[in-house]
Structure formats: C-alpha cells, structure tokens
Amino acid sequence: MRPVFSRAQLDRDLERAFALEYDLLKSYIRLPVAYEREVVARAHAHGVPVTSHYLYPAVRTGLDGMEHTGGGNRLGYSRTLSYAAGRTFQDSVDLLAASGMWISTTTLFASELFLDDRSLIEDERTRVLFPEWEYRRLLKKAEDAAGPEGELNHAWTVGDVDMLLRVHRAGGLVVAGTDAALDDIGISIHQNLRVMVRYGFTPREALTTATGNAARALGLGDQLGAVAPGFLADLVCVEGDPLRDIGAAAAVRKVMVGGYLSTVPDLLAPFRKPAAAAAPARHRNRVLASAPTARRKGKHYWHAPEWSHHGCCRSR
C-alpha cells in the first residue's frame, strides 16, 4: 500500500506500478475522488483494472470492481449495506448489476462453518503450511465461532450472501475472493464457496465465481476459467464431485501448472520440517527480545502481525 499525498507522488507511484506490471490496482478509502479519476484513466490506458471499497462514486469514476460487500469507507452516503445486520437495499444491487462492476465475496464472518466441519483446519496442508502462531489463531477462531458474537456474525454472513446472490441473479459479476492476509490464507476461498452454497448459490454458481468470473474480471476470460482448447492447462484434480458437494473442491489430489503435474505430497515435501528445525526459531526470538523496548511493545502498528489488528480500516 502506498499512501499518496500529492499529484507528484501519485504520478511516481503509478509509474512504479506500470513498470512492475501490476495486474490490478486498488484505490483505498481516503484517496480523493479527483485522484481516483486519474488512477482509473491512466490504469485503463495500460490495460490494468482498478477496484475500491466503493459502489458510489465508483460507478461514476469508472472503477472495474468493488472489494467486499461492505468494506470500510470515508463517505457516509456510500454504504452498500446496513451496519445492523448486513442487509442491502435493492438500489445497490441494481447499480452493481447495471454498472458492469464486479463484486468480491470476502465473507469474513463465516467462521460459523467450523462448528459443523473442521476438515479445513485438520487438513494436512493446513497443518504443514501454516506457521505455528497462525495455526493457533485459526484454532481460536474456530472456538470463538460458538461464542457470544456468533449470532451477529451469522446475521452478517447471511446478509452478505443474500446481496451476492441477488447481484448474481440480476446478471452482475460476482467474484470469489478473500481478504488475505487478514483472512485465513488457503482456507478462506473454500469457506467463501461453502457459505455461498449454504445460503443460496448452487455449487455450479459458486464454482463459477472462482473460475470463469474471476478470469473475466481480470480480462483473462480467453485464457483462464474454463477447460477448453486454447486455454491454459492449469488444473486441479479433486476427489469427489464439487458440482454435487462443494466441499469436494478442497479435496485436491493433483495439480497441473504450466504443463507440470504434481501431487499434494510432492508440493508439501519442501515445507516439512524435522523437530530439530525449531532451534533457529528460538534463536530469532532471543534476537527479537534484545530489540529496543518501544519496538517490542509495538510503538507503531506495523511492528505487530497483521492479524493482531481488529479491523482492516481503523484510523490511527
């Protein structure tokens, strides 16, 4: 993320983004609308899509997509859903469907699914690839799903999916997406798919949001998102039929990328660590312990891990 305070800085950051061949730009919540218009115009001239948290004024400034069903914003009139229960008025649905903008799912409060199914938590891939502290956080998240905030989170999740389904059925473009790294990397995309099916999407509709719709949103609909002649053969082989059981989408057994076929054990092998490998981690902790007191206590928010913040958009 690059905070922008002047047109000169905006120009430098856009030139940097184009030089590094970014696939997408996100205009964040405090960028002035005049700057946003310039970002959209210049990005589109380079064939790069632009998103934000906004529906309006985004539909007037030409943005390509909206992140989240109701992310943080600084414009009081731009809310797309209610704070009380995550419900959306029909005018927001109509604007999304008519504008051609896509909307990302990011069902952040769907941890209720862990109450019925812990398969993603207990999956070998999760255990091997998640750092220890991240795995502990995931376990805590699953435990908290049964806590006092569970009812509110459930209401938000139902409201999120209700909005997404209405946009989808109205002809809008819904794209499966997560809020990584604030969400659970690897797991969240499947939680999104599963909760969409639980509250109204068919398995086929949900899978389309993560395949063909995602490819269309990035302008790659002629290369990705379908199994067809001329498309890139990047494939996953799963056990079961995700068109009947969306949970089978996570039962990956083999992966083909760029013509190379790999099994799950092959992919996990480099990340398996013997017990002795824990020693260097303790050494790093000792080094951290010797750091200045202000830094250890988190004088600045970026000294703390990303997941330690309670929201993605809190003002400091």
Side-chain angles (χ1 to χ4, degrees):
M1 182 174 67
R2 305 285 300 182
V4 173
F5 298 96
S6 68
R7 286 194 174 275
Q9 185 180 356
L10 178 65
D11 182 70
R12 288 196 301 270
D13 285 329
L14 286 175
E15 289 302 317
R16 178 186 294 108
F18 301 142
L20 294 174
E21 299 182 346
Y22 284 8
D23 296 306
L24 180 144
L25 294 177
K26 179 179 178 181
S27 166
Y28 209 53
I29 61 177
R30 295 191 179 279
L31 191 70
V33 175
Y35 285 11
E36 185 175 273
R37 289 183 182 276
E38 186 170 343
V39 170
V40 171
R42 293 180 60 181
H44 283 182
H46 284 78
V48 178
V50 186
T51 67
S52 76
H53 280 195
Y54 293 118
L55 171 56
Y56 189 85
V59 295
R60 296 290 296 171
T61 51
L63 270 76
D64 300 279
M66 176 180 167
E67 308 287 356
H68 318 298
T69 55
N73 63 73
R74 65 181 177 86
L75 302 174
Y77 58 81
S78 67
R79 296 296 305 182
T80 52
L81 43 76
S82 69
Y83 279 110
R87 293 296 179 170
T88 304
F89 289 113
Q90 187 61 36
D91 56 351
S92 294
V93 172
D94 293 341
L95 275 173
L96 278 166
S99 67
M101 294 171 59
W102 76 77
I103 181 169
S104 177
T105 59
T106 51
T107 54
L108 295 172
F109 305 102
S111 55
E112 64 182 75
L113 297 183
F114 291 134
L115 296 175
D116 302 325
D117 184 359
R118 293 171 62 93
S119 60
L120 292 173
I121 297 175
E122 297 166 357
D123 192 290
E124 181 186 27
R125 293 165 295 177
T126 307
R127 291 180 175 274
V128 171
L129 296 175
F130 270 44
E132 181 184 354
W133 62 88
E134 195 77 359
Y135 192 71
R136 288 199 306 268
R137 184 181 71 91
L138 180 61
L139 292 174
K140 181 68 163 54
K141 185 176 183 178
E143 294 170 2
D144 290 346
E149 293 186 359
E151 185 175 349
L152 178 59
N153 288 342
H154 169 74
W156 269 95
T157 299
V158 172
D160 280 344
V161 178
D162 173 71
M163 175 191 187
L164 296 167
L165 185 59
R166 287 156 64 197
V167 171
H168 171 71
R169 296 282 166 85
L173 190 63
V174 176
V175 177
T178 71
D179 202 19
L182 296 177
D183 218 340
D184 306 309
I185 296 175
I187 287 178
S188 294
I189 190 67
H190 291 289
Q191 290 288 83
N192 274 256
L193 295 176
R194 293 178 183 191
V195 81
M196 289 164 68
V197 171
R198 172 171 288 196
Y199 295 120
F201 282 76
T202 67
R204 181 181 291 276
E205 288 173 324
L207 288 169
T208 300
T209 69
T211 53
N213 287 9
R216 285 173 55 195
L218 293 177
L220 299 173
D222 60 343
Q223 302 176 50
L224 298 170
V227 180
F231 281 59
L232 297 178
D234 292 346
L235 306 169
V236 293
C237 304
V238 303
E239 183 176 338
D241 183 0
L243 292 176
R244 294 179 179 272
D245 173 16
I246 194 63
V252 178
R253 299 296 178 258
K254 295 181 181 180
V255 178
M256 176 175 284
V257 178
Y260 292 93
L261 185 66
S262 301
T263 65
V264 170
D266 292 338
L267 297 171
L268 290 181
F271 301 96
R272 297 186 187 279
K273 297 179 181 179
R282 288 194 297 271
H283 176 71
R284 286 196 297 272
N285 288 341
R286 288 197 298 271
V287 172
L288 179 60
S290 66
T293 302
R295 183 183 179 97
R296 289 206 314 273
K297 290 184 177 180
K299 181 178 179 182
H300 302 291
Y301 73 88
W302 55 83
H303 291 155
E306 189 72 56
W307 47 259
S308 69
H309 310 303
H310 296 292
C312 66
C313 315
R314 178 181 297 173
S315 299
R316 289 179 172 84

